[in-house]
Amino acid sequence: MNIPIFELERVQSIYENTVKYNLTESGFHPFTLKELLSETQLETIQNMVLGYGQTNGLIPTRQAIAALYPNCNEDNVMVCNGTSEANFIACHTLLEKGDEVVMMVPNYMQIWGIVQEMGCTPKAFHLLESDNWQPDLAELKKQVTNKTKMIVICNPNNPTGYTLSKEEMQEIINIADSVGAWIYSDEVYRGAELDGVEIDSFVGLYDRVLVNGGLSKAYALPGLRVGWLTGPKQLIDDAWSYHDYTSITAGILSNKITEWVLQPEMRKRILTRNRNMLNQNLKYTLEWVQSHGDLFHFIPPKAGGMAFMRYHLEMNSTELSDWLRINKSVFILAGDCYGMDNYFRLGIGAEKDYLLAGYKLVDEGLQTLKEMIVA
Ligand SMILES: Cc1ncc(COP(=O)(O)O)c(C=O)c1O
């Protein structure tokens, strides 16, 4: 096998259903169809013919997605099975063996693994904790060369929740333009900003831009498995060729529901529910962090469904996560999954009572661990 194990996904898949409290989720508590849809819409779903539909996405669905971006129409969009398929197809469409890719780190590490599998070279530029997770753009400039085919951004960022300023976006564009590189921006968390002000997409800011989006995070609908790619028509056409080999098409029911979800009224209802949840849970999380004195160092996210923090305990992050899971049946994501020991990630898009019950178990575990480590 020629592809590295995607630790972050694999470790969650193995353990998330074995614990009482899973705090590794990276999105919001998901909706049911009944909560979301009207009687008429539910009936429409029941009566839909389960054909393939249109393999690059139903036209009204692509139109609804295109409306989220400046100067785009359905030809600029392809619907995929989750944002993860969009990432896979994007890499295969844009990259060839030997290319260099410079990627924002920390990040959802899927693209890093795909780049390695394709015989390309991944290089990192970092978000700096010492700068409230601002990107080190001097490092990006240094890492970019004439061999750089793609600069990979995650905005809003998984796991820090950092969002780029307009000036930072422009500087990234300038750096990409200096070598003719593409910008690939993972924007699956767009819409989950804590202040309710949606950040700009990279679409429309530079010619060589491809972005993803999807319903798994900001929209709390991961089970629909809907993601998409938005970019120049020719590139989207090329990406479609790869899609024919990966999954042919996203499901027709999911396509239909996506069209409804993205209509302004329903979209607003979903994003508002999630934002309220996030703001409330962040408040409890900050109180929880404070209750532990200087055990944690936490820079609150500006967007997204998670809290990423450093801890001051002499214990490796995977060991800490394993210990809490085995002894307390609460699961937190080890910083090791991001190559960052002494950090962990908590999902703060859960329902409040669930989150607080999980924190209580982490508290009990930490108390025992501190006594064990001191003794
Ligand atoms: C930044 C980022 N991109 C992509 C994905 C994949 O999401 P999907 O469930 O839409 O495939 C995730 C999932 O955690 C993610 O965090």
Side-chain angles (χ1 to χ4, degrees):
M1 190 173 77
N2 191 29
I3 193 159
I5 294 289
F6 187 7
E7 277 299 327
L8 187 151
E9 281 301 334
R10 181 53 57 92
V11 84
Q12 286 184 81
S13 305
I14 294 174
Y15 297 123
E16 65 192 351
N17 296 311
T18 68
V19 288
K20 225 157 131 190
Y21 292 97
N22 173 26
L23 300 187
T24 68
E25 275 299 336
S26 56
F28 296 96
H29 183 69
F31 286 99
T32 64
L33 281 187
K34 224 170 169 179
E35 285 169 327
L36 212 56
L37 302 185
S38 68
E39 287 299 324
T40 321
Q41 286 169 328
L42 285 169
E43 209 177 304
T44 304
I45 286 293
Q46 278 174 7
N47 288 312
M48 267 182 84
V49 174
L50 297 177
Y52 279 104
Q54 176 146 345
T55 64
N56 59 340
L58 296 179
I59 292 172
T61 307
R62 285 187 287 128
Q63 284 171 337
I65 294 167
L68 304 175
Y69 303 93
N71 302 321
C72 285
N73 62 37
E74 64 269 26
D75 291 338
N76 300 109
V77 174
M78 181 172 73
V79 181
C80 301
N81 277 281
T83 322
S84 41
E85 189 187 42
N87 287 346
F88 194 87
I89 291 175
C91 291
H92 282 80
T93 307
L94 280 174
L95 300 175
E96 279 160 38
K97 195 172 172 178
D99 286 338
E100 288 182 5
V101 172
V102 186
M103 181 159 164
M104 176 187 272
V105 166
N107 205 323
Y108 183 68
M109 294 305 276
Q110 182 197 4
I111 290 178
W112 193 277
I114 297 169
V115 164
Q116 287 179 312
E117 175 260 331
M118 291 184 69
C120 303
T121 306
K123 295 160 102 181
F125 78 100
H126 291 85
L127 299 180
L128 299 176
E129 188 184 27
S130 54
D131 266 347
N132 291 326
W133 297 122
Q134 284 180 62
D136 186 345
L137 296 182
E139 187 186 21
L140 174 61
K141 217 174 194 165
K142 253 190 250 157
Q143 293 285 46
V144 161
T145 70
N146 287 336
K147 287 173 93 182
T148 306
K149 189 67 167 291
M150 182 164 104
I151 294 175
V152 178
I153 305 297
C154 184
N155 190 38
N157 177 256
N158 173 352
T160 63
Y162 185 77
T163 57
L164 295 170
S165 68
K166 286 180 196 292
E167 293 73 26
E168 286 163 344
M169 289 171 79
Q170 189 53 53
E171 180 59 13
I172 291 168
I173 289 166
N174 295 345
I175 294 170
D177 197 26
S178 71
V179 291
W182 282 84
I183 292 177
Y184 181 65
S185 181
D186 184 331
E187 299 180 350
V188 70
Y189 282 98
R190 220 173 130 233
E193 297 81 0
L194 275 130
D195 63 4
V197 182
E198 204 162 314
I199 58 164
D200 286 341
S201 168
F202 268 95
V203 171
L205 301 181
Y206 171 59
D207 287 347
R208 286 179 291 274
V209 164
L210 183 64
V211 309
N212 73 22
L215 299 187
S216 301
K217 307 298 174 188
Y219 296 86
L221 293 166
L224 289 181
R225 306 307 302 132
V226 168
W228 56 79
L229 285 171
T230 303
K233 180 184 178 324
Q234 182 56 53
L235 195 71
I236 294 296
D237 284 349
D238 291 349
W240 192 0
S241 307
Y242 282 96
H243 198 215
D244 289 336
Y245 281 97
T246 51
S247 66
I248 305 176
T249 183
I252 194 166
L253 298 180
S254 294
N255 262 270
K256 187 70 197 161
I257 297 165
T258 304
E259 178 198 332
W260 291 328
V261 161
L262 295 182
Q263 299 310 313
E265 207 173 298
M266 195 185 296
R267 182 171 188 266
K268 190 168 169 204
R269 173 157 71 92
I270 292 172
L271 297 185
T272 304
R273 175 266 211 180
N274 293 342
R275 185 170 62 252
N276 290 342
M277 233 165 142
L278 189 60
N279 273 297
Q280 184 191 51
N281 286 345
L282 180 59
K283 184 172 143 285
Y284 291 120
T285 301
L286 284 164
E287 285 169 12
W288 179 74
V289 165
Q290 273 158 18
S291 75
H292 284 276
D294 56 9
L295 184 61
F296 304 129
H297 178 65
F298 175 45
I299 297 160
K302 298 188 202 179
M306 59 197 114
F308 189 61
M309 61 188 85
R310 190 148 47 95
Y311 61 89
H312 303 284
L313 193 69
E314 283 192 23
M315 191 170 190
N316 162 264
S317 64
T318 302
E319 285 172 22
L320 175 62
S321 167
D322 287 347
W323 193 94
L324 289 169
R325 180 175 51 73
I326 293 163
N327 294 283
K328 288 288 164 189
S329 202
V330 61
F331 186 27
I332 65 173
L333 192 73
D336 280 341
C337 292
Y338 291 94
M340 293 173 75
D341 190 15
N342 291 111
Y343 290 80
F344 60 77
R345 190 189 88 181
L346 299 168
I348 59 169
E351 287 180 308
K352 175 193 139 201
D353 291 344
Y354 185 92
L355 185 71
L356 295 184
Y359 284 174
K360 194 159 175 291
L361 289 178
V362 176
D363 286 344
E364 289 173 15
L366 286 173
Q367 189 53 39
T368 309
L369 279 171
K370 277 196 258 179
E371 286 162 13
M372 277 165 51
I373 289 169
V374 169

